[in-house]
């Protein structure tokens, strides 16, 4: 009777890893990080599983409700559950392919129910749907889904260009509307300012005429008191004649030829008298 003596072999597993030990092809146990002894050659470490969080980037093409094809980028963050390392090693041949298949299924069943604009607005909802689906499925295979992120929604370049043109046209329309409103306000303010200026100018002219009338009245009264026998009509004739000659002198300085007739002074006197009487009554009404 012969006795076979095995050899103990020291195996080291790195931090945040778990080793799978088989005994002649049959699962024996899991070994954690650090040194472990196995009986060689009957036992061997057939594999190591990382317990760190890993990320799988999935790119899926699908169509929206308004018939726009887009590329959807999804990042899946997952890790192996230590207690379920047996399932993670033996139940799945390729966990990344399994995760990718479920991501495709969720994306292609969710996006087609949305229009393009709604898809951009619902990135969080899409990521949540993928997360819930993967968590419910992958936990049976020893994997925990930490998080899922929709990292990209990329329609065709022509669709992008048309969306930019639509946005630019809308902004130009809004800018034109604001510009028109500003022009309207500017014109209204200018009209109000012009009306106020004309009102103030009219008030100034009315006061000027009132001052002229009062000055003439004062001059006539003083002249009548200083010169005996002079009537107010005589004073007005003198003032009018003086103004008439001043006007002729001013007009003559501009090289204009006017016909002079002494009877013009009398006619001008009557017209000015009537005008003063009428303007005086109007100015009093304005100032009151």
């Amino acid at each position: 009777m012969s006795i076979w003596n095995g050899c103990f072999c020291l195996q080291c597993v790195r931090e945040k890893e778990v080793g799978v030990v088989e005994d002649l092809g049959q699962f024996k146990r899991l070994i954690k990080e650090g040194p472990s002894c196995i009986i060689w050659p009957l036992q061997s470490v057939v594999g190591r599983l990382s317990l760190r969080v890993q990320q799988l980037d999935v790119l899926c093409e699908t169509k929206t409700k308004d018939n726009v094809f887009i590329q959807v980028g999804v990042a899946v963050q997952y890790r192996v559950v230590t207690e379920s390392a047996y399932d993670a090693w033996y139940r799945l041949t390729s966990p990344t392919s399994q995760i990718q298949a479920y991501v495709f299924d969720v994306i292609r069943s969710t996006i087609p129910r949305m229009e393009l604009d709604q898809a951009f607005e619902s990135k969080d909802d899409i990521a949540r749907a993928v997360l819930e689906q993967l968590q419910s499925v992958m936990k049976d295979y020893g994997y925990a889904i930490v998080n899922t992120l929709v990292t990209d929604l990329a329609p065709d370049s022509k669709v992008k260009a048309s969306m930019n043109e639509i946005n630019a046209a809308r902004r130009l329309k809004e800018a034109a509307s604001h510009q028109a409103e500003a022009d309207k306000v500017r014109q209204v303010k200018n009209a109000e300012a012009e009306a106020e200026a004309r009102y103030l100018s009219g008030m100034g002219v009315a006061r000027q005429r009132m001052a002229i009338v009062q000055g003439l009245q004062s001059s006539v009264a003083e002249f009548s008191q200083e010169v005996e026998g002079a009537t107010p009509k005589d004073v007005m004739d003198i003032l009018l004649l003086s103004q008439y000659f001043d006007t002729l002198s001013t007009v003559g300085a501009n090289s204009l030829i006017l016909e002079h007739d002494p009877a013009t002074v009398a006619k001008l006197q009557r017209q000015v008298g009537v005008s003063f009487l009428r303007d005086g009554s109007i100015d009093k009404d304005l100032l009151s």
Side-chain angles (χ1 to χ4, degrees), residues 114 124 159 185 193 205:
M114 302 178 180
D124 292 340
V159 177
V185 173
V205 172

Side-chain angles (χ1 to χ4, degrees), residues 102 106 124-139 145-148:
Y102 280 105
V106 175
D124 292 340
D125 297 335
I126 298 171
R128 191 180 305 111
V130 174
L131 177 63
E132 293 174 354
Q133 177 72 9
L134 289 177
Q135 283 180 337
S136 63
V137 173
M138 297 304 294
K139 67 179 181 180
I145 306 300
V146 179
N147 199 5
T148 57

Side-chain angles (χ1 to χ4, degrees), residues 174-281:
E174 293 176 357
S177 176
H178 291 311
Q179 182 64 35
E181 188 67 23
D183 292 340
K184 175 183 175 182
V185 173
R186 191 180 300 110
Q187 292 177 2
V188 170
K189 293 299 181 183
N190 290 338
E192 292 177 353
E194 185 177 358
E196 184 69 17
R198 290 184 178 181
Y199 172 76
L200 295 176
S201 177
M203 292 292 295
V205 172
R207 290 175 179 174
Q208 180 184 17
R209 291 179 179 177
M210 179 60 70
I212 293 173
V213 171
Q214 291 177 354
L216 290 175
Q217 290 177 349
S218 177
S219 298
V220 170
E222 292 178 359
F223 192 85
S224 299
Q225 293 175 359
E226 294 293 334
V227 180
E228 296 182 358
T231 62
K233 182 178 182 304
D234 296 334
V235 178
M236 288 297 298
D237 291 340
I238 294 173
L239 291 174
L240 183 60
L241 185 61
S242 176
Q243 292 294 325
Y244 180 70
F245 281 118
D246 289 341
T247 302
L248 288 179
S249 176
T250 303
V251 173
N254 295 324
S255 301
L256 294 177
I257 299 176
L258 297 176
E259 181 181 359
H260 171 63
D261 185 2
T264 305
V265 179
K267 185 185 299 183
L268 184 61
Q269 178 186 1
R270 290 193 300 272
Q271 293 176 354
V272 171
V274 174
S275 177
F276 274 145
L277 293 175
R278 183 175 64 252
D279 291 345
S281 60

